[in-house]
Amino acid sequence: MRRHGYRVRVDNRQAIGSWLSGPRAAAEEMGVDFGYPGQRLGLPQQGPGSVARFGRRLGAVAIDWIGCQLIAYGLITRGDMASAGNWTLALFVTLTILTVGTVGFTPGKRILGLRVISESGGRLGIVRVVLRTLLLALVIPALIWDRDGRGLHDRLARAVQVRI
C-alpha cells in the first residue's frame, strides 16, 4: 500500500500471533481450549499418573546416557574415547529395551519418578518397546512432541511417560 510516495506497513501480529508466541498462543488468545497435557488420554492433571514434563524426561535420558557412557569408557573400551561413543549407544539401546520392556522404566526414569506405559495404561509389549527405543536412539523423533507432551517416538509406539 502506498501513500504519498511512502510505503505503509500493516501490522497483523495480533491476528496471527507473533513469531515468539507461536500458533498455540495465538489460538489460545482467540479462545481455543487445549486442556492440560494428558487430558485427551484420560490422565490426571497433576500427581501420580500425570504426563511427565519435558525437563524430567530429559534428565532421565541424561542419567541413563551418562551411566552408559561411564560403563563404555571405563569397562568396555578401557579409556579409548574414540570407540566409547558407539558402545555408549549400544548400551543405551540395550538398557532401555531390557528395563522398559520388563519393569517399565530405566534407572534414570526410576530416579526421577517416571514410568513408560501404554496409552491404555498397561505395560508396553516388546515390539512397541523396541520401536520406541530405536526411534529414541535417532534423537529427532524425541524432539518433536504433541500437545500432550509426548515425543514422536512415544506417539508412534502408543506410549506415554507418566509420573510415579
Side-chain angles (χ1 to χ4, degrees), residues 94-105:
T94 304
L95 171 79
T96 304
I97 290 172
L98 291 176
T99 57
V100 172
T102 56
V103 293
F105 48 78

Side-chain angles (χ1 to χ4, degrees), residues 7-155:
R7 198 181 323 174
V8 177
R9 193 175 97 209
V10 178
D11 190 0
N12 289 331
R13 281 184 287 180
Q14 284 185 324
I16 61 173
S18 77
W19 67 275
L20 290 174
S21 63
R24 180 182 176 122
E28 286 173 343
E29 285 177 13
M30 294 185 322
V32 176
D33 181 21
F34 288 106
Y36 62 86
Q39 184 175 9
R40 295 181 311 149
L41 302 170
L43 301 174
Q45 186 172 2
Q46 301 174 19
S50 64
V51 172
R53 302 284 186 230
F54 179 74
R56 274 193 183 192
R57 294 191 325 254
L58 183 63
V61 168
I63 290 169
D64 294 333
W65 186 264
I66 290 169
C68 291
Q69 198 166 36
L70 290 172
I71 292 168
Y73 181 76
L75 298 177
I76 297 174
T77 65
R78 295 200 169 99
D80 180 14
M81 193 58 137
S83 60
N86 292 333
W87 280 105
T88 301
L89 181 60
L91 285 170
F92 180 80
V93 167
T94 304
L95 171 79
T96 304
I97 290 172
L98 291 176
T99 57
V100 172
T102 56
V103 293
F105 48 78
T106 62
K109 288 184 189 333
R110 181 66 183 122
I111 289 168
L112 295 180
L114 305 177
R115 171 176 243 122
V116 180
I117 60 171
S118 71
E119 288 176 344
S120 62
R123 191 187 295 165
L124 287 180
I126 190 67
V127 173
R128 288 169 43 190
V129 170
V130 170
L131 171 66
R132 180 187 178 278
T133 304
L134 293 177
L135 289 170
L136 178 61
L138 292 175
V139 178
I140 299 300
L143 297 176
I144 302 169
W145 58 87
D146 63 9
R147 71 180 192 197
D148 290 316
R150 294 187 307 159
L152 186 59
H153 65 299
D154 281 331
R155 190 173 174 113

